[in-house]
Amino acid sequence: MKPLSRFKCYSIILPAISVHLSPPSISLQHPRLYYVGATELRTNPRVSSSNLLDIVNAFTAYCYQRDLPNAMKALDSMQKHRLWADSITYAELIKCCIAHGAVKQGKRVHQHVFSNGYEPKTFLINTLLNMYVKFNLLDEAQILFDQMVERNVVSWTTMIAACSNAELNSKALEMLIMMLRDGVRPNMYTYSSVLRACEGFSILKQLHCCIIKVGLELDVFVRSALIDIYSKWGELQAALNIFDEMVTSDLVVWNSIIGGFAQNSDGDEALNLFIRMKRSGFWADQSTLTSVLRACTSLALLELGRQVHVHVMKFDQDLVLNNALLDMYCKCGSLKDANDIFTRMIVKDVISWSTMIIGFAQNGYSLKALNLFNTMKASGIKPNYITILGVLFACSHAGLVEDAQYYFKSMKVLYSIDPGREHYGCMIDLLGRAGKLEEAMKLIHDMKCEPDAVTWRTLLGACRVHRNMDLAEYAAKKVLSLDPHDAGTYILLSNIYANTQRWADVEKLRKSMRDGGMKKEPGCSWIEVNKQVHAFILGDKSHPQVNAIYQELNQIIWRLKEEGYVPDTNFVLQDLEGEQMETSLAFHSEKLAIVYGLMSLPKGKTIRIRKNLRICGDCHVFSKLLAKLENRSIVIRDPIRYHHFEDGACSCGDYW
DNA sequence: TTAGGGTTAG
């Protein structure tokens, strides 16, 4: 994790609220009521040609008026008299079918324009192709496409875009090759569609080269697609380069780059880009605000998140945005706000419910999470893969072994969800914490999917808690065989050795780490005070108030010792002894951040800390006692869960 | 005259 630059100021992000109440301008198209165009009239001895013209005109009028029922009746009359209207009229009718989701009527139009030897133009077949794609009837689209005598760039692009959207990535790329072989040149529409289908970095590079060669990199759609796919591949610098080269830009491109950083856990850069966007004169829309909320969520910036909330209100009841807001409050440890949002949401989907369930579970309210899961089921929402993960997580962090086993066994039967590695991981974690290491091992052997490094690392963590050296070494070897450069495993194993004073083994492991170029990630804690973010790293002394903070921390430790605090040296990771040991513990980053919070925040305000590593047992005891001594709420978010310290106790129930 | 870009839960 990249440590956030210290004292980052986010206070200038949002301007005063401005709600635009005027509706967007709508260009009204005058219905072309009596347009006949290239209508093909055929003689019919029983009907005069003026009557035939009336039939076509009536059909045309209904199509342009978007009057689907009457247009379909008129279509029957056209069919009966072997009449055809202009292609554009049919295109209007097909658009109307798409808008109404009228599959049956759309197929009827398809049948009509191919009836009695009539040969529709490529343009019209393309419109039908698009209709099938929009109806998600890809097989029908493919059959029609295969029947086409002439396929132009739009025909190919429609099919390629359909494959990309359906994540039929190989097929999308194969169709691009077929298109080129057919002598049809891809255009900006084609490239902006096919980029999403890149499954490998080398393919992406090749496509990017083609785009530059034919001069299409300037197209704003192609650029945003490039930014998006580079971001998805984690190539954020490449995405930023493409973004910065743009002369004109629009809001969607800003959203692409901001979303790219937000989704790659670089909330800091996402917020910087958002500030740039505001300075460039753009107004944030739902997509922008969703990404900004995600950035706040990843950085645990509650106060900034609250500012964004005010702006979210003008997009009231936007489901995606509300879900993001809900998650922000959950991840910032403010469950009351999250619950208020959740209660007020009129429309909730499986993501809303899952977010709240996971939010309760991660914040230590396992029973509330499980109750909510029951309410969700009762309201008719079907749980998915992630919901069940949240439920198992809730069981895991409350030590509810039997409940978890029930949910784990029933997920396939009740909801047709196959347990994935993550579900197994939750179960292994749960069994491991409960000391059932043999059962955890058995579950690994019974897994329907291959255990990966994370699976074995989970078991390794349990071995550390229960001091099972033999199994720990076995699990560690498994981890390192799957992920030989995993510094975390070396550290976990080294912690196990350190706890039993096997300092020679500790040194051996550390040498392996040094030789392999692996470094332990330094512990870092962040706190938001007065719209500024302050970062503290273990032993770091660069903060301007460093002397006062250390002095205050020492005084607090003395006061806590008088109340019975005994530093827990089990968590010292170095070969130190006596007083030195305590000193190493005393300056863990979260302690520095908490003390700074005490010194700077108004009396009574909750101290909220985010940290990059799991909290250690000593800091956990320290925080509980301090919360009581100072009569303050302290919330610490680590990479897995949250600890709410109040009146000498923690919401995790000392089980984490 | 048909085809293309950005947002939410682990």
Side-chain angles (χ1 to χ4, degrees), chain A residues 579-596:
Chain A
E579 202 174 302
Q580 258 188 312
M581 243 185 210
E582 271 190 35
T583 309
S584 160
L585 279 173
F587 304 119
H588 275 183
S589 63
E590 55 266 56
K591 290 198 180 88
L592 296 169
I594 291 170
V595 170
Y596 183 67

Side-chain angles (χ1 to χ4, degrees), chain A residues 165-194:
Chain A
N165 283 336
E167 296 182 10
L168 300 167
N169 295 333
S170 304
K171 189 172 176 190
L173 293 165
E174 278 164 22
M175 288 201 86
L176 179 71
I177 293 168
M178 285 157 69
M179 174 185 186
L180 292 164
R181 289 216 170 108
D182 208 30
V184 182
R185 282 179 58 183
N187 64 12
M188 59 280 265
Y189 287 84
T190 324
Y191 283 117
S192 64
S193 302
V194 80

